[in-house]
Amino acid sequence: MSLVVQKYGGTSVGTPERILNVARRIIATQEAGNRVVAVVSAMSGVTDNLIRMARDVSPLPAEREMDVLLATGEQTTIALTAMAINGLGKKAVSLTGAQAGIVTDGFHTKAKIANITPRQIRQYLKDDYIVIVAGFQGETTDGRITTLGRGGSDLTAIAIASAIGASLCQIFTDVDGVYTCDPRIVPNARKIPEISYDEMLEMASSGSKVMQSRSVEFAKKFGVVFEVRSSFNQNPGTIVKEENAGMENVVIRGVSVERNQAKVTIVQVPDRPGTAARIFTALADTGIIIDMIVQNVSVSGTTDISFTLSKDELPKVEQVLQPVAKEISALDLIAQDGIAKLSVVGIGMRSHSGVAARLFEALSAGGINIQMISTSEIKIAVILDEKMVDKAAGLAHDAFGLSIAPTA
Ligand code: ADP
Ligand code: ASP
Ligand code: MG
């Protein structure tokens, strides 16, 4: 008998009818001769709604209480899913993250899994139950409820698959798999049959939120092969696994878009040791996460330093950096939102030249101005006007032939 872990996301369990659909799929998997653990998310919109309600009662809710609140979303779904399966005549039991043995550190709202003791999961599977586990949550060693960051049910599924040695891990969602770009942005995007952990990780962390990036990191670290596929049909999805020799033949695997970015420029920073350290230590001390950083060549003893970050962090940044800019005698601090990041990702970049040129030419042909550029071994990212980013994604997608069916 095989051991299968399935995860069903928010849209897939978004209504009672959809929960029944999921219940039937889980039962069919068991009837095909498997033991099944299903991880479920909160019903779509529920987590956002809980966050809104928290802000309605308090401008800065305590993170401990935030986690107690957010965990209720998934708790609703596990009970309803287990009830639905029971109603269809099969044995099912629901487990919260803590009951499933998921122990985390104490970083509320973005906790990391420290270890998993799946004692109850194993016992119930042995007794022929289908086990339904709440995604996105765990518990600290001193008994506090924690959550694993937005999209964290993906991580729950992959971590449980690893802990119980599942032979199959399937992430069911509302698209047929991982596409060459978000199909909501580029309608002729194509499903990718296979993608390496590194490419999936770069795409997820640069805006392709079809998988939570931390879950992909975990899968890579522990060698969990998983499939992303639709809960609404039987189509095969995308396999995410270690790279193989053939994968480098494709120059670009996919295009990602990240909106809601902001750019901050500190103008005419005196070019002397310690100024960059002063700026970025002040930001780090406040827990602000920075993305791209660019420093210009110094002209007559001063240089401009620019960086990007999430737009939501902008008010905090201005508050932290105004005094620092003054202290280091910079001329000005300019903050700008309304920008977005476009990334092209592929391990083929390591062995193909001219990738950056091809991207820049495509954007230039579309009259799109590039504000900043950054590269890694398998990614080229550019900052653009947010209004242009959908058009840019389409142009990049076409420039690398991603819309065309690959020939066998
Ligand atoms: P779930 O609730 O199942 O976890 P998500 O909303 O987190 O689902 O992820 C699925 C969504 O991710 C899709 O509806 C799609 O719009 C978006 N998405 C972004 N980038 C991609 C991509 N490259 N391939 C497929 N879907 C993508
Ligand atoms: N419900 C959580 C969220 O919306 C976790 C998840 O869906 O994976 O972020
Ligand atoms: Mg998700």
Side-chain angles (χ1 to χ4, degrees), residues 7 9-10 41 150-152 154 173 209-212:
K7 178 251 169 177
S41 290
R150 296 308 303 266
D154 296 334
T173 183
K209 301 238 160 66
V210 58
M211 286 299 298
Q212 187 211 32

Side-chain angles (χ1 to χ4, degrees), residues 12-72:
S12 305
V13 293
T15 62
E17 296 74 48
R18 286 185 176 177
I19 290 178
L20 273 164
N21 169 52
V22 163
R24 285 190 205 98
R25 294 184 75 114
I26 295 171
I27 290 172
T29 309
Q30 187 193 46
E31 286 178 342
N34 304 294
R35 292 188 200 280
V36 190
V37 177
V39 173
V40 291
S41 290
M43 296 165 79
S44 57
V46 165
T47 307
D48 287 338
N49 212 18
L50 291 170
I51 294 172
R52 253 192 308 273
M53 284 200 288
R55 300 227 166 102
D56 284 349
V57 296
S58 161
L60 208 65
E63 291 195 319
R64 179 192 183 283
E65 304 313 327
M66 200 66 192
D67 275 349
V68 174
L69 180 71
L70 294 186
T72 63

Side-chain angles (χ1 to χ4, degrees), residues 260-279:
N260 294 322
Q261 301 295 291
K263 182 168 82 173
V264 175
T265 302
I266 311 168
V267 184
Q268 289 190 22
V269 177
D271 189 18
R272 56 171 184 256
T275 45
R278 180 74 192 89
I279 294 164

Side-chain angles (χ1 to χ4, degrees), residues 102-119:
I102 299 176
V103 177
T104 73
D105 63 21
F107 285 94
H108 283 291
T109 74
K110 42 190 160 315
K112 285 211 171 77
I113 295 178
N115 60 71
I116 302 183
T117 315
R119 192 180 45 77

